[in-house]
Amino acid sequence: FSSRRRHTRLQGDWSSDVCSSDLDKIEDGRCTIVYPKKILCIYNDIYKKVLVSNGKSLVINPNKNNQYYRYNLEQTPLHLILDKDFIIQKIDSIQNKIINENFLLFEFEHEQSLISIYFDKASLNIIGWTTTDIYQNKVETILSNLEKNLDIDLNIFLIQKYIN
C-alpha cells in the first residue's frame, strides 16, 4: 500500500483461477475496492455474476436462477484482505517476505488457512491474493489495470441492489 490513507479506493480488472481436484476454471471481470472491507466485482460472463461486500456481508449473485448466496464477511478470507490496517500490521510482523523481480509476496496463516497477498514491487499496490474458498478450492485472484483514489459512489456497495 503506497498510502496509509484509511479509505483507499481502487478500480481495475481482475481474473481468478479456481483450482480443485475436479475443476480448473478461470473467471474475470471488473472490480472496485474501497478500504476498509468493501468490494464489488462484476464478472465477464453471460449472466454478469456479482460479488459484493458492504463491509459486513458478502453476497454472490450468479444472476441465473433467482437465488443468491450471502455470507458473513468475517467468515471469509476477504475480511482480512479488505482490511488495510490488518494487512499493514501483518506485513510489519512477518519475518519471511518473498521478493522476486516483479512483486512482493506476503504469506500468513489465519484460522488454519494460508493467505498469500501480492504487491507490485515498484508501487507497493496490492495486485492479487491466493486463498482457499469455502469448498476447499484454491483461488488465485490477480488485479490489473488498477486506477487508485478515484471518486467512487459508495452506494454501489449496497447489497440490496444485487439481491433478486
Side-chain angles (χ1 to χ4, degrees), residues 88-150:
I88 290 169
Q89 173 211 355
K90 203 63 163 168
I91 288 171
D92 288 344
S93 69
I94 293 174
Q95 298 298 317
N96 298 324
K97 299 167 180 79
I98 301 167
I99 302 172
N100 77 15
E101 63 186 55
N102 298 318
F103 62 87
L104 307 172
L105 168 63
F106 298 93
E107 294 182 323
F108 58 92
E109 267 198 51
H110 186 75
E111 297 179 8
Q112 293 97 32
S113 182
L114 181 67
I115 298 174
S116 303
I117 303 177
Y118 316 104
F119 296 90
D120 179 82
K121 189 174 178 182
S123 68
L124 300 180
N125 288 324
I126 190 168
I127 57 171
W129 55 82
T130 302
T131 61
T132 303
D133 70 12
I134 61 168
Y135 305 107
Q136 300 305 305
N137 298 317
K138 179 180 173 188
V139 180
E140 181 177 50
T141 301
I142 301 297
L143 304 173
S144 60
N145 302 319
L146 284 178
E147 301 172 82
K148 54 184 194 170
N149 297 327
L150 302 171

Side-chain angles (χ1 to χ4, degrees), residues 19 32 34 57 63 86 105 123 131 133 145 155:
C19 299
T32 302
V34 174
S57 295
N63 282 326
F86 171 82
L105 168 63
S123 68
T131 61
D133 70 12
N145 302 319
N155 287 327

Side-chain angles (χ1 to χ4, degrees), residues 12-16 27-31 41-45 144:
D13 300 320
W14 64 271
S15 67
S16 285
E27 300 175 306
D28 66 0
R30 189 93 176 132
C31 200
C41 297
I42 308 291
Y43 290 63
N44 286 335
D45 64 10
S144 60

